[in-house]
Amino acid sequence: MVNDKLLHPESIAVIGASNNTMKPGGKLVKNLVDHPFRGKLYVVNPKSKEIQGIPAFSTVEDLPSVDLAILAIPAPFCLHAVEVLVAQKNTKAVIIISAGFGETSEEGKKLEQQIAQVANRFGACLIGPNCIGVMTPHHASVFTTPIPPLVPGGCDFISGSGATAVFIMESGIPKGIRFANVFSVGNSAQTGVEDVLAYLDETYKPGVSSRVKLLYIENIDNPDKLLFHASSLVRKGCKIAAIKAGSSSAGSRAASSHTGALTSSDAAVEALFRKAGIVRCYGREELTTVAGVFMCKELKGKNLAIITHAGGPGVMLTDALEDGGLHIPQIPDSPAKQSLKEKLFEGSSVENPIDFLATGTAEQLGDIVDACENDFDVDGMAVIFGSPGLFPIRDVYELLNEKMKSCRKPVYPILPSIINVKEDVSYFLSHGNVNFPDEVLLGRALTKVIHTPAPATSGSFMEGIDLKAIRAIIEQAKEGYQPPGIIHQLFDAAGIPRVKEIVVTSETEAVLSSLNIGFPVVMKVVGPVHKTDVGGVILNIRNVAQVRKEFHHLKEIKGAEGVMVAQMASGTELFLGAKYEQDFGHVVLCGLGGIYVEVLKDVASGLAPLSLEEAGSMLRQLKSYKILKGYRKQEGVNIPQFAEIIVRLSNLLRHATEIKEIDINPLLGNETEILAVDARVRVGKSSNEYS
Amino acid sequence: MVNDKLLHPESIAVIGASNNTMKPGGKLVKNLVDHPFRGKLYVVNPKSKEIQGIPAFSTVEDLPSVDLAILAIPAPFCLHAVEVLVAQKNTKAVIIISAGFGETSEEGKKLEQQIAQVANRFGACLIGPNCIGVMTPHHASVFTTPIPPLVPGGCDFISGSGATAVFIMESGIPKGIRFANVFSVGNSAQTGVEDVLAYLDETYKPGVSSRVKLLYIENIDNPDKLLFHASSLVRKGCKIAAIKAGSSSAGSRAASSHTGALTSSDAAVEALFRKAGIVRCYGREELTTVAGVFMCKELKGKNLAIITHAGGPGVMLTDALEDGGLHIPQIPDSPAKQSLKEKLFEGSSVENPIDFLATGTAEQLGDIVDACENDFDVDGMAVIFGSPGLFPIRDVYELLNEKMKSCRKPVYPILPSIINVKEDVSYFLSHGNVNFPDEVLLGRALTKVIHTPAPATSGSFMEGIDLKAIRAIIEQAKEGYQPPGIIHQLFDAAGIPRVKEIVVTSETEAVLSSLNIGFPVVMKVVGPVHKTDVGGVILNIRNVAQVRKEFHHLKEIKGAEGVMVAQMASGTELFLGAKYEQDFGHVVLCGLGGIYVEVLKDVASGLAPLSLEEAGSMLRQLKSYKILKGYRKQEGVNIPQFAEIIVRLSNLLRHATEIKEIDINPLLGNETEILAVDARVRVGKSSNEYS
């Protein structure tokens, strides 16, 4: 639980403060002093009267009342200190930076749990242990550097790893990324990444709180909480980018060996992020580049102007953006274009990229930006301006700084000359701007942002789903793979259309069933396992005479217990399945069946429950979507019905979490209807059922 | 033409030298002075007696004999100066940095051509005009900064754009990338990127010349030359990475508007790079990261150890590498592993990643690297070591520097704390090492390098190709789309198997033909264009009686000129085609037919002529390769025969460049044989035939 005392304390005490700034307890005090905290700062050290010029208390007991305490003392002493603080000093927020807890041993794990219990009992927030601390615009309570610029409009950043948080800031600072609140949650004894995000959501004030949230996550403990608050923040207008490390199986092993945490399946993470509207990143450079995009004004369309004084980077950026589905539209002829052209040097190009040559001036850049802002049909601009090192280009960056502020459209600055005009770039960043030193990395980040869907809307409810029946079937179902009868009942209760199948034992029943189902039908022997091997499947039966004949034929097969008469379905083979992931719930996968799933791995995933909109978006994501729609002479499938079946399945699963795996394979579909032909359903009821 | 006087001049003259170092002619002299050139340096300026402390000549005529001249005078004066230099001063190398030539006007174009003619006449090398110049370990003849470290073991770098060259160096220098020879070819009036590469190939001395070549190309003027010399260099042990800007159509437009050059089709570039063994990059950051990989020892397998003192980056790197097909194998138990574990702090992990904790020491790092070098079954190591900013970590980087030198296996250093331990990182780089500040960008670069194939071997010759016949057929062929007869002759001459087809006009002929071909056969009406619409195609004819009957039926169709009896082929639909690209030659495309080509775009490309090895590699590249091999119950196709047909086609095309487009669609294949069923061939003979 995060609270306001953590973010806006009026007093801070550092327990284990030191004069040695090469030690965490020393560096922490130095950071608090160097990045002034305006409240009262207390320090506790049993041996020194004074720490870095601040009079020291000998023990925690000696302290006056204090809002926030930061512990940099050995693990075994922490429990007592926290007890004293929360019980006697009215301390409502505690950060434990000390290591030696759950990350090293079982006893350490127990110790941190005890501390969390104490904090919980007194309604105090506990951050850590084993973390680098917390930074806000009010206080820099971390033992590490660098301390980035801390301003209310910067990024909120929550990290599951302290060292990685440092490295991410090292990557962001040179790009001008500024921060608001930085949380390193360490072992998350009480407060995890999701909890901090929940607090940021619950206390979100439009126009006051930071619009940008960055997350580094090694393990998602509470996917529902993350989904709920991330979606809520994005709906409020926030932008969220996150790294979830451990996407490969070897990466998961690495994450596990490091944090001792179980790592969640990557498909579930992928589905969760899409559903929440989180931009998924895979590295630090990518995360801080996306953060830079977020710090700029919002891009509200896909058309960009590229303004450059050098050809090469303009071409490479064009390639990256077009490759990612954005457009660099040619600027059509107009008086505005003509008038701009006249303001530029001969040889300049007012196509797109707009190239105003190596000799281009600040004034010309201003004219171009104004034309893009007011006259040209583009949604944003990327401005590339470096220097061969002959002279300073301060005037250009002054102009660009002004335009960054005054334009309604986003302007993405690409200032590649981080050596030649280092000072000019620093000047530009010091005015609160970001820089993208590499245009292609910017292009890929922009692409990633533009392709992240909005958070899913709710509304997965669908008529004709009999929840009571579903629960009754599931409660009576045995563990393991389910027989066809149970599967039929489940599908019927959820309104999932399936081929009609009737098991019969007499010739008359067979004939009546076939008439009921309608020709052509399939007849199968019931009893033998490998039906086709014993000639027990007869396709395409077209009349009553054939039914009579085949009934007798099938009944004579060894082990025959009966005969099944089934509807003969045909059409394109589809795939729909789901897997229950511990904590995440059901990850639903869909696609075209056969080789599309098995060889080409062309599958879309979503996290149940799914809305019709989400199901539609999953289908559109498929590479084979064109085939679903009907390609050339090949008939397509009823896509709205496929989406509806996906939603129905996700409704069924939502109320039957005992279903651990389900494969509907195949569904057969054509333009009029889609029918489930065969399915495998595994039910697991024990609590230690593997997921 | 490049020559030794350009790289190792004993005297250099700067024409248009200036005291104003904010002007190109001033900065150029300053660079030559600051990065000492040991030969004689002359300056020419009509107005000053002395330029930056160097006595000045008033005119070019006054100069003594000089090896290399650099012109920074207005374009109109350049021709005369070059004439004097090459004719009277024995100048064998000229760099023109002045702009105002072909990039601005037609007259400028003529002027630079005239200058090139003069240079050619006297056997002099001409670089530029409109370039930043040339740098070698002997002289820094550029008017820009930064001047990177110039050492014989650095990268050779050839750039088609001066500004982009500057920006690429700005990106590379912070990573420790060092350079040997840097060439900015500008308008390439005489010497283009390919020509410089040819020189580097022809003068390559193993152990002396740089092993690494970087290229930035906006337009490939001479693909054959690039292919020949790039392949040759790679075969000699070099590594080449290149950006070809303008891969998207909008990017090409941008490139064209900038350079006025025709941009080559991207599929042809892709095919050329693969054939040459060039690592293709798409941005500056990517190019300099790949350059960093090249500067390390060669990775000879796919197994890497990740050594880290922080979990997060280790996990992200693992994800990136596994995602790209490299392996981070678990370290199996062994005495060496046990012994290493005992040397590390408690809580360290000797799985892989090997995590030696935030408190890990230089000594421990040394032990881990030694174990990876000597005991563990890995091919290389990535070492991640940053700092939270408490104390310097010079000892760790000293150790790492030693290990970089002594290990036989490559060590990739990831030092993320470029702010916290800036000085320590600089120290590390100053010893000739590179740094990869972002582990994921390194992971992707390594992946890219490891997946670039070796240059294609020659040996595309194939038995049974009748070159004389091919030439005779092509010479007699009319322009445009070819009739079936011509296509059959071409295929037969090239040994490309096709379905048997015989056109007949009598019932007897039809019967004999069907017996000759073998049942089942297909019969088609000859004459009408839309055969199926008029019922003019009869499939699956199984006996003589049917042949007789259908012959009469088909003959009665309006417009029937005859009847074709053809072999009835069946099997998997394959695709094979080629397109002639101006300058590049034929780009051959192959894949599975139908939706695989048309919807899923699963196509591999190669540049003719192709060897069997290349054709095989193209097929293995396909996502649908598993389907070609036969998937589940579905029969595969004869892959060696498919590869052979690809080679035969490429042989045919090599000797018939008049074929501008060919589509064999479909080929039908099964496990025993593949047959061309239908083909479209377009011949273009006029020299201005669009490509």
Side-chain angles (χ1 to χ4, degrees):
Chain A
M1 72 185 73
V2 178
N3 59 38
D4 191 55
K5 296 293 180 201
L6 179 70
L7 300 180
H8 303 96
E10 287 178 12
S11 51
I12 299 179
V14 179
I15 326 298
S18 165
N19 278 316
N20 182 352
T21 57
M22 307 228 291
K23 286 187 171 178
K27 189 63 173 280
L28 210 149
V29 173
K30 185 172 189 311
N31 282 340
L32 279 165
V33 171
D34 287 352
H35 300 83
F37 166 59
R38 284 156 189 265
K40 290 215 166 133
L41 178 59
Y42 307 119
V43 294
V44 177
N45 182 306
K47 289 178 196 154
S48 303
K49 290 261 173 256
E50 209 182 80
I51 296 294
Q52 299 183 43
I54 305 165
F57 295 88
S58 296
T59 67
V60 178
E61 281 83 351
D62 298 340
L63 280 171
S65 185
V66 63
D67 287 348
L68 167 63
I70 305 154
L71 275 60
I73 52 177
F77 303 127
C78 287
L79 176 58
H80 173 72
V82 172
E83 280 170 345
V84 173
L85 287 159
V86 299
Q88 299 170 29
K89 307 300 174 184
N90 199 29
T91 301
K92 290 296 174 205
V94 177
I95 301 170
I96 304 181
I97 63 173
S98 325
F101 288 90
E103 81 283 8
T104 51
S105 67
E106 269 309 306
E107 301 89 75
K109 181 91 191 158
K110 272 181 205 149
L111 184 56
E112 72 183 46
Q113 283 167 349
Q114 280 177 295
I115 295 173
Q117 279 158 15
V118 171
N120 290 343
R121 202 178 325 133
F122 287 87
C125 163
L126 172 65
I127 299 289
N130 186 27
C131 70
I132 64 165
V134 170
M135 283 181 266
T136 82
H138 305 286
H139 63 105
S141 297
V142 290
F143 75 86
T144 57
T145 51
I147 309 290
L150 294 165
V151 294
C155 306
D156 284 332
F157 172 31
I158 316 170
S159 178
S161 155
T164 311
V166 170
F167 300 158
I168 286 172
M169 288 184 283
E170 295 247 20
S171 160
I173 292 169
K175 299 191 192 81
I177 305 300
R178 306 191 302 163
F179 291 83
N181 304 294
V182 177
F183 303 84
S184 158
V185 298
N187 294 359
S188 303
Q190 181 208 57
T191 309
V193 171
E194 299 91 330
D195 304 304
V196 179
L197 197 72
Y199 178 80
L200 295 177
D201 178 28
E202 285 154 2
T203 60
Y204 184 79
K205 290 191 194 119
V208 178
S209 306
S210 166
R211 273 187 329 105
V212 177
K213 317 289 171 198
L214 308 179
L215 314 177
Y216 173 80
I217 312 176
E218 292 194 340
N219 189 58
I220 301 176
D221 288 310
N222 195 335
D224 272 359
K225 195 167 194 172
L226 180 62
L227 173 60
F228 183 86
H229 292 290
S231 313
S232 164
L233 281 164
V234 177
R235 280 194 211 100
K236 288 171 184 170
C238 287
K239 302 285 169 189
I240 308 182
I243 298 174
K244 163 66 181 75
S247 62
S248 64
S249 56
S252 298
R253 191 179 70 224
S256 303
S257 74
H258 179 57
T259 64
L262 280 166
T263 303
S264 347
S265 148
D266 199 57
V269 173
E270 190 66 38
L272 173 76
F273 280 23
R274 275 185 70 84
K275 198 176 183 80
I278 296 172
V279 177
R280 186 170 190 185
C281 298
Y282 290 88
R284 296 182 288 115
E285 184 69 28
E286 190 174 63
L287 182 72
T288 56
T289 306
V290 167
V293 169
F294 286 168
M295 296 308 280
C296 295
K297 280 161 189 151
E298 190 171 353
L299 182 64
K300 290 181 173 156
K302 289 194 174 178
N303 292 323
L304 274 179
I306 295 175
I307 304 166
T308 182
H309 76 145
V315 181
M316 290 187 277
L317 179 57
T318 304
D319 289 344
L321 290 172
E322 292 264 338
D323 188 44
L326 280 91
H327 310 305
I328 314 299
Q330 211 151 356
I331 308 288
D333 286 334
S334 70
K337 179 176 174 179
Q338 190 51 39
S339 141
L340 176 60
K341 202 160 177 152
E342 282 158 16
K343 292 175 188 158
L344 306 183
F345 293 133
E346 209 190 315
S348 297
S349 162
V350 191
E351 303 312 314
N352 195 4
I354 300 173
D355 188 338
F356 66 121
L357 307 183
T359 46
T361 66
E363 199 188 341
Q364 291 172 335
L365 176 59
D367 292 332
I368 301 170
V369 171
D370 288 346
C372 291
E373 169 78 1
N374 302 314
D375 304 321
F376 298 162
D377 187 18
V378 293
D379 305 301
M381 297 157 243
V383 175
I384 301 168
F385 206 99
S387 162
L390 290 180
F391 42 77
I393 50 175
R394 182 66 56 99
D395 59 335
V396 178
Y397 291 179
E398 280 170 356
L399 180 281
L400 190 57
N401 173 47
E402 278 167 36
K403 295 297 177 192
M404 295 284 297
K405 264 96 191 167
S406 65
C407 286
R408 287 160 297 115
K409 295 177 183 175
V411 179
Y412 303 102
I414 296 143
L415 316 182
S417 294
I418 50 174
I419 300 174
N420 272 340
V421 286
K422 193 168 188 267
E423 283 73 30
D424 296 327
V425 173
S426 298
Y427 159 86
F428 182 76
L429 297 185
S430 73
H431 282 69
N433 299 307
V434 293
N435 176 30
F436 302 93
D438 189 88
E439 56 279 352
V440 172
L441 296 183
L442 165 65
R444 291 184 184 157
L446 254 180
T447 292
K448 187 157 256 206
V449 169
I450 211 106
H451 287 304
T452 300
T457 50
S458 49
S460 64
F461 174 77
M462 192 133 290
E463 290 293 333
I465 293 178
D466 186 342
L467 297 185
K468 274 192 192 161
I470 290 173
R471 285 310 311 159
I473 300 160
I474 285 292
E475 271 154 31
Q476 285 167 26
K478 294 197 185 118
E479 294 219 324
Y481 289 102
Q482 299 302 305
I486 300 285
I487 297 173
H488 293 166
Q489 288 174 37
L490 282 171
F491 282 12
D492 293 348
I496 296 173
R498 58 178 180 86
V499 295
K500 291 180 208 153
E501 292 182 343
I502 303 170
V503 176
V504 298
T505 48
S506 72
E507 189 186 314
T508 316
E509 271 184 297
V511 169
L512 289 173
S513 300
S514 67
L515 291 170
N516 179 0
I517 289 168
F519 291 105
V521 297
V522 181
M523 289 175 74
K524 297 179 199 174
V525 65
V526 175
V529 179
H530 300 291
K531 297 177 170 54
T532 34
D533 295 354
V534 294
V537 180
I538 319 292
L539 300 173
N540 211 17
I541 296 170
R542 303 196 152 266
N543 54 49
V544 169
Q546 254 186 300
V547 171
R548 290 185 198 280
K549 181 182 138 207
E550 297 298 352
F551 176 80
H552 290 287
H553 165 73
L554 290 170
K555 260 203 69 180
E556 276 156 30
I557 290 172
K558 196 182 163 190
E561 295 161 6
V563 169
M564 181 184 273
V565 183
Q567 187 176 356
M568 172 94 188
S570 66
T572 303
E573 206 176 303
L574 304 172
F575 169 83
L576 178 59
K579 186 162 182 287
Y580 184 79
E581 292 288 346
Q582 193 64 49
D583 302 328
F584 283 77
H586 287 98
V587 180
V588 177
L589 303 174
C590 67
L592 272 160
I595 47 153
Y596 294 93
V597 170
E598 292 164 30
V599 178
L600 303 170
K601 316 282 179 209
D602 184 24
V603 178
S605 67
L607 202 59
L610 293 159
S611 66
L612 265 178
E613 198 184 329
E614 278 175 283
S617 150
M618 283 165 71
L619 294 176
R620 282 192 300 276
Q621 249 180 280
L622 294 168
K623 285 195 205 80
S624 48
Y625 182 62
K626 270 195 187 168
I627 300 168
L628 283 182
K629 285 202 299 181
Y631 178 70
R632 296 223 164 156
K633 284 177 186 167
Q634 198 181 312
E635 190 181 344
V637 305
N638 184 334
I639 291 177
Q641 197 198 0
F642 195 6
E644 187 188 317
I645 293 173
I646 295 171
V647 175
R648 287 186 180 278
L649 175 68
S650 91
N651 266 278
L652 163 65
L653 295 171
R654 183 186 191 178
H655 299 284
T657 49
E658 293 90 344
I659 296 180
K660 300 308 176 195
E661 283 179 73
I662 176 165
D663 272 359
I664 312 183
N665 194 10
L667 285 119
L668 289 179
N670 54 33
E671 280 169 6
T672 35
E673 90 178 324
I674 299 178
L675 293 172
V677 176
D678 207 351
R680 234 168 50 132
V681 175
R682 187 170 65 78
V683 164
K685 296 190 170 181
S686 54
S687 59
N688 60 359
E689 157 73 14
Y690 71 91
S691 65
Chain B
M1 71 184 77
V2 179
N3 59 38
D4 192 55
K5 296 292 179 201
L6 179 69
L7 300 181
H8 304 96
E10 287 178 13
S11 51
I12 299 180
V14 180
I15 325 297
S18 165
N19 278 315
N20 182 351
T21 57
M22 309 228 291
K23 286 188 171 176
K27 189 64 173 276
L28 209 149
V29 173
K30 186 172 188 311
N31 281 342
L32 279 164
V33 171
D34 287 352
H35 300 82
F37 167 58
R38 285 157 189 264
K40 290 215 166 136
L41 178 60
Y42 307 118
V43 294
V44 176
N45 182 304
K47 291 177 196 156
S48 303
K49 290 261 172 260
E50 208 181 81
I51 296 294
Q52 301 183 42
I54 305 165
F57 294 89
S58 298
T59 66
V60 179
E61 282 83 353
D62 299 340
L63 279 171
S65 182
V66 63
D67 286 348
L68 166 64
I70 305 156
L71 275 60
I73 51 177
F77 303 125
C78 286
L79 176 59
H80 172 72
V82 172
E83 279 170 345
V84 173
L85 286 159
V86 299
Q88 299 169 29
K89 307 299 174 185
N90 199 28
T91 300
K92 290 294 174 203
V94 177
I95 301 171
I96 304 182
I97 64 174
S98 325
F101 288 89
E103 80 283 6
T104 50
S105 67
E106 269 309 307
E107 303 87 75
K109 182 91 193 157
K110 271 181 206 148
L111 183 55
E112 71 183 47
Q113 283 167 347
Q114 281 177 295
I115 295 173
Q117 279 158 13
V118 172
N120 290 343
R121 203 178 323 131
F122 287 86
C125 163
L126 171 66
I127 299 289
N130 186 29
C131 69
I132 64 166
V134 171
M135 284 181 265
T136 81
H138 304 285
H139 64 105
S141 297
V142 290
F143 75 88
T144 58
T145 51
I147 309 289
L150 295 164
V151 293
C155 306
D156 283 334
F157 172 31
I158 316 170
S159 179
S161 155
T164 310
V166 170
F167 301 158
I168 287 171
M169 288 185 283
E170 295 247 21
S171 160
I173 291 169
K175 299 191 192 81
I177 305 300
R178 305 191 302 164
F179 292 82
N181 304 295
V182 178
F183 305 84
S184 158
V185 298
N187 295 359
S188 305
Q190 180 208 59
T191 308
V193 171
E194 299 91 330
D195 303 304
V196 179
L197 197 71
Y199 178 80
L200 295 178
D201 178 28
E202 286 154 0
T203 61
Y204 185 78
K205 290 191 194 120
V208 178
S209 306
S210 166
R211 271 187 329 107
V212 177
K213 317 290 171 197
L214 307 179
L215 313 177
Y216 173 80
I217 312 175
E218 293 194 341
N219 189 56
I220 301 176
D221 288 309
N222 195 335
D224 273 358
K225 195 167 195 171
L226 180 62
L227 173 60
F228 182 86
H229 292 291
S231 314
S232 164
L233 281 163
V234 176
R235 279 193 212 101
K236 288 172 184 170
C238 287
K239 302 285 170 189
I240 307 182
I243 297 174
K244 163 67 180 73
S247 61
S248 65
S249 56
S252 299
R253 190 178 72 225
S256 303
S257 74
H258 180 57
T259 63
L262 280 165
T263 302
S264 347
S265 147
D266 199 57
V269 174
E270 191 65 39
L272 173 76
F273 280 23
R274 275 186 69 84
K275 200 177 182 80
I278 296 172
V279 177
R280 185 169 190 187
C281 298
Y282 290 87
R284 296 182 288 115
E285 185 68 29
E286 190 173 63
L287 183 71
T288 56
T289 305
V290 167
V293 170
F294 285 168
M295 295 308 279
C296 295
K297 280 162 190 152
E298 190 171 357
L299 182 63
K300 290 182 173 156
K302 289 193 173 179
N303 292 324
L304 274 180
I306 295 176
I307 304 166
T308 182
H309 76 146
V315 181
M316 291 188 277
L317 179 56
T318 304
D319 288 345
L321 291 171
E322 292 264 339
D323 189 45
L326 280 91
H327 310 305
I328 315 300
Q330 211 151 358
I331 308 289
D333 287 333
S334 70
K337 180 176 175 181
Q338 191 51 38
S339 143
L340 176 61
K341 200 159 180 156
E342 281 158 17
K343 292 176 187 158
L344 307 183
F345 292 134
E346 209 190 315
S348 298
S349 164
V350 190
E351 304 312 313
N352 194 3
I354 300 172
D355 187 339
F356 66 121
L357 307 184
T359 46
T361 66
E363 199 188 340
Q364 290 173 336
L365 176 59
D367 292 333
I368 300 171
V369 171
D370 288 346
C372 290
E373 169 78 0
N374 301 313
D375 303 320
F376 298 162
D377 188 17
V378 294
D379 306 301
M381 298 158 243
V383 175
I384 302 169
F385 206 99
S387 162
L390 291 181
F391 41 78
I393 50 174
R394 182 66 56 100
D395 59 335
V396 178
Y397 291 179
E398 279 170 357
L399 181 279
L400 191 57
N401 173 47
E402 277 168 35
K403 296 297 178 191
M404 297 284 296
K405 265 99 193 167
S406 64
C407 285
R408 285 159 298 117
K409 296 177 182 175
V411 178
Y412 304 103
I414 296 143
L415 316 181
S417 294
I418 51 174
I419 300 173
N420 273 339
V421 286
K422 191 168 190 266
E423 284 74 27
D424 295 329
V425 172
S426 298
Y427 159 86
F428 182 75
L429 298 184
S430 73
H431 280 70
N433 299 307
V434 295
N435 176 29
F436 303 94
D438 189 87
E439 55 279 354
V440 172
L441 296 182
L442 164 65
R444 292 184 182 155
L446 254 180
T447 292
K448 187 155 255 205
V449 169
I450 211 104
H451 287 305
T452 301
T457 50
S458 50
S460 63
F461 174 77
M462 189 129 303
E463 289 293 331
I465 293 178
D466 186 342
L467 297 184
K468 274 193 190 162
I470 291 172
R471 285 311 310 160
I473 299 160
I474 285 293
E475 271 155 30
Q476 285 169 27
K478 292 193 185 125
E479 293 220 328
Y481 289 100
Q482 300 302 305
I486 300 285
I487 296 174
H488 293 166
Q489 288 175 37
L490 282 171
F491 282 11
D492 294 347
I496 295 172
R498 59 177 181 87
V499 293
K500 289 179 208 153
E501 292 182 342
I502 302 168
V503 176
V504 298
T505 48
S506 72
E507 188 185 315
T508 316
E509 269 184 297
V511 170
L512 289 174
S513 298
S514 66
L515 292 169
N516 178 0
I517 289 169
F519 291 105
V521 298
V522 181
M523 289 175 72
K524 299 180 197 173
V525 66
V526 175
V529 178
H530 301 290
K531 295 178 171 54
T532 35
D533 296 354
V534 295
V537 180
I538 318 290
L539 300 174
N540 210 17
I541 296 170
R542 302 195 154 269
N543 54 49
V544 169
Q546 257 186 299
V547 171
R548 290 186 198 280
K549 181 182 139 207
E550 298 298 353
F551 176 82
H552 290 288
H553 165 73
L554 291 171
K555 262 203 67 179
E556 277 157 28
I557 291 173
K558 196 180 163 193
E561 294 162 8
V563 169
M564 180 183 277
V565 182
Q567 186 176 359
M568 172 98 186
S570 67
T572 303
E573 209 177 298
L574 304 172
F575 169 83
L576 178 60
K579 186 162 182 286
Y580 185 78
E581 293 288 345
Q582 194 64 47
D583 301 328
F584 283 77
H586 287 98
V587 180
V588 177
L589 303 174
C590 67
L592 272 161
I595 49 153
Y596 293 93
V597 171
E598 292 164 29
V599 179
L600 303 170
K601 316 281 180 210
D602 184 23
V603 178
S605 67
L607 202 60
L610 293 159
S611 65
L612 266 179
E613 198 183 328
E614 279 176 283
S617 151
M618 284 166 71
L619 295 176
R620 283 190 301 274
Q621 251 180 279
L622 294 168
K623 285 195 205 78
S624 48
Y625 182 62
K626 271 194 187 169
I627 301 168
L628 283 183
K629 285 202 296 181
Y631 178 69
R632 295 221 164 158
K633 284 176 187 169
Q634 199 181 311
E635 190 182 343
V637 304
N638 183 334
I639 291 178
Q641 198 197 1
F642 195 6
E644 187 188 317
I645 293 173
I646 295 171
V647 175
R648 287 187 180 278
L649 175 69
S650 91
N651 266 279
L652 163 64
L653 295 171
R654 183 187 191 177
H655 298 284
T657 50
E658 293 89 344
I659 296 180
K660 300 307 176 196
E661 282 178 77
I662 176 165
D663 272 358
I664 311 183
N665 193 10
L667 285 119
L668 289 178
N670 53 33
E671 279 169 5
T672 36
E673 93 178 322
I674 300 178
L675 292 173
V677 175
D678 208 351
R680 235 167 50 130
V681 175
R682 188 169 65 78
V683 165
K685 296 191 170 179
S686 54
S687 60
N688 59 0
E689 157 75 14
Y690 70 93
S691 65

